[in-house]
Amino acid sequence: MTASTPLPYVVFGVTGRTGAAAADALLRSGHPVRVVVRDPAKGQTWAERGAELAVADLTDLASMTKALRQVQGAYVVSPQHYNREDLFEMADLIADTTARAAVAASVPRLVALSSVGADRESGTGWIRMNRMFEQRLGETGVPTTFLRAAYFMENWMPMVGLAMRSGTLPTFLAPPQRPLPMVATVDVGSAAAALLQEEKMGTCIVTLSGPKDYTPNDVAAIVAATLGKPVEVAVLPETEWPKALADAHFSKAALAGFAEMTRGLNGSHIDIKSDPSAVEWAGTTTLERVIVKLAQRQR
C-alpha cells in the first residue's frame, strides 16, 4: 500500500446477509474493502469485485489481528453456532478474540452487529450472545458503534415457503395482531457501512428497525397478496416449537435459548425502546419487498 492509497474498511460476515450488504455498499461507494473469510474460496467473488481478501478464524488471535491491521475501521459480527451445546461459550470466545485482536491491531473504530434486547441482563435467550459481544468490545476502549438490529424480515423465509404450499403461515410470535419492529438485512448492512464512515470517535448504540412495524397478521396478508391466494396465520404453541424447529438441527441449548428469546419478544421484555441511551435509525426496505423476493426464491 502506498502513502496515497486509503486504508480499507474491514468487513466480516460476507458469507451472510448483513456482511455482504455492508461490503457491497462500501464497494459501490468506491471505498477500499478488505473482506474476512475462513475459506478463501468464499471470498473469490469479492476479490473479483476488487476487494482485498483476508483469511482468519474468529477464534484465532493471530489471524484476526492480521486481518484487522492498517484499516480505517471494521464491521464485526459474531456468528452463532446453533448446532453446538456450548454455543454461549463459543460466542464468548469469539467476542474475546475479536476484542483482543482489535486492540492488538490498533483499530480506530468498530461497528458491531448486535440485537435489540442486548441491554437486558437476562430473559433474552440467544440475545445474551450479543450482550457478551457488546461487553467484550466495550471493555477495550476502542470507539465502537453497537448496531442493535430489530427482528430480521428474512426470518420469515421458511414460513413463507410453508404458506406457499399449504396456505397457512405458522408463527412463533404472539399475539398475531401485535406489531413488532422488523428490519431487512440489506438495511442492516447499509447502516453498518454508513456508520463506519462517520467521523465521530465515541462509543454509541444505534437501534435499527424498518420503515414501519408489522404484525404476523400483516405478514400473512402480504404473503397472500404476493401469492394471489388466501393465507391464514397459525400461532404455534410453545409445546410445538421443538417439532417445528426439528429441521434446523438446533442443539438442546440452542432450543432453550430460542424459547427464552421468543418468550421475551412475545412478552415485550425484549423491546427496541428499552434503552433510552440508544439512537434510533430506520431502514427504507419494506416487508412487502422482502416477501416478494422470498417467494421468488421458494418457487
Side-chain angles (χ1 to χ4, degrees):
M1 242 174 237
T2 65
S4 59
T5 304
L7 294 175
Y9 290 104
V10 171
V11 180
F12 287 79
V14 292
T15 57
R17 290 190 177 96
T18 72
D24 179 68
L26 289 166
L27 285 169
R28 286 179 182 275
S29 298
H31 295 287
V33 173
R34 179 188 301 161
V35 300
V36 185
V37 292
R38 187 170 183 175
D39 178 359
K42 297 290 181 68
Q44 190 56 40
T45 55
W46 296 103
E48 291 170 359
R49 291 185 59 183
E52 181 186 345
L53 194 61
V55 178
D57 184 316
L58 294 176
T59 63
D60 179 70
L61 181 60
S63 63
M64 286 286 286
T65 302
K66 183 179 179 182
L68 287 165
R69 282 203 176 105
Q70 292 188 299
V71 301
Q72 291 192 62
Y75 175 55
V76 292
V77 301
S78 178
Q80 300 177 348
H81 300 266
Y82 300 124
N83 63 324
R84 300 177 63 121
E85 292 297 345
D86 63 344
L87 75 164
F88 289 96
E89 291 80 3
M90 175 58 77
D92 195 39
L93 175 59
I94 291 172
D96 180 60
T97 306
T98 304
R100 291 166 63 197
V103 172
S106 300
V107 177
R109 72 172 287 103
L110 296 169
V111 174
L113 178 62
S114 186
S115 168
V116 296
D119 56 304
R120 298 294 200 192
E121 293 184 4
S122 61
T124 61
W126 286 353
I127 294 171
R128 183 159 61 89
M129 292 183 275
N130 296 109
R131 183 175 176 84
M132 291 175 181
F133 203 41
E134 288 195 15
Q135 289 175 327
R136 291 289 192 183
L137 295 177
E139 291 165 359
T140 65
V142 176
T144 304
T145 298
F146 297 107
L147 181 56
R148 291 182 182 164
Y151 189 88
F152 286 170
M153 293 178 182
E154 286 80 2
N155 289 345
W156 289 100
M157 184 161 66
M159 291 77 159
V160 170
L162 287 169
M164 291 177 68
R165 294 189 294 272
S166 68
T168 299
L169 182 83
T171 180
F172 303 98
L173 301 175
Q177 68 274 17
R178 185 171 65 87
L180 184 74
M182 301 182 194
V183 66
T185 51
V186 66
D187 285 350
V188 179
S190 297
L195 289 165
L196 275 176
Q197 297 171 68
E198 288 195 344
E199 294 185 1
K200 65 180 181 181
M201 294 303 294
T203 290
C204 68
I205 296 163
V206 172
T207 57
L208 181 67
S209 60
K212 60 176 285 189
D213 296 350
Y214 298 90
T215 69
N217 286 341
D218 291 332
V219 180
I222 294 168
V223 175
T226 302
L227 300 179
K229 66 178 185 180
V231 173
E232 295 184 355
V233 171
V235 176
L236 299 174
E238 187 169 342
T239 54
E240 293 183 16
W241 292 355
K243 181 181 178 182
L245 294 167
D247 289 343
H249 304 294
F250 289 154
S251 67
K252 290 182 180 179
L255 276 173
F258 172 85
E260 183 177 82
M261 177 184 68
T262 306
R263 286 194 295 267
L265 284 167
N266 290 344
S268 299
H269 174 64
I270 298 170
D271 181 358
I272 198 167
K273 295 185 180 296
S274 61
D275 188 344
S277 70
V279 178
E280 296 181 12
W281 280 30
T284 59
T285 304
T286 64
L287 182 61
E288 286 86 347
R289 184 175 171 186
V290 171
I291 292 293
V292 167
K293 288 185 177 180
L294 295 181
Q296 289 172 344
R297 291 176 190 170
Q298 296 285 344
R299 288 193 171 112

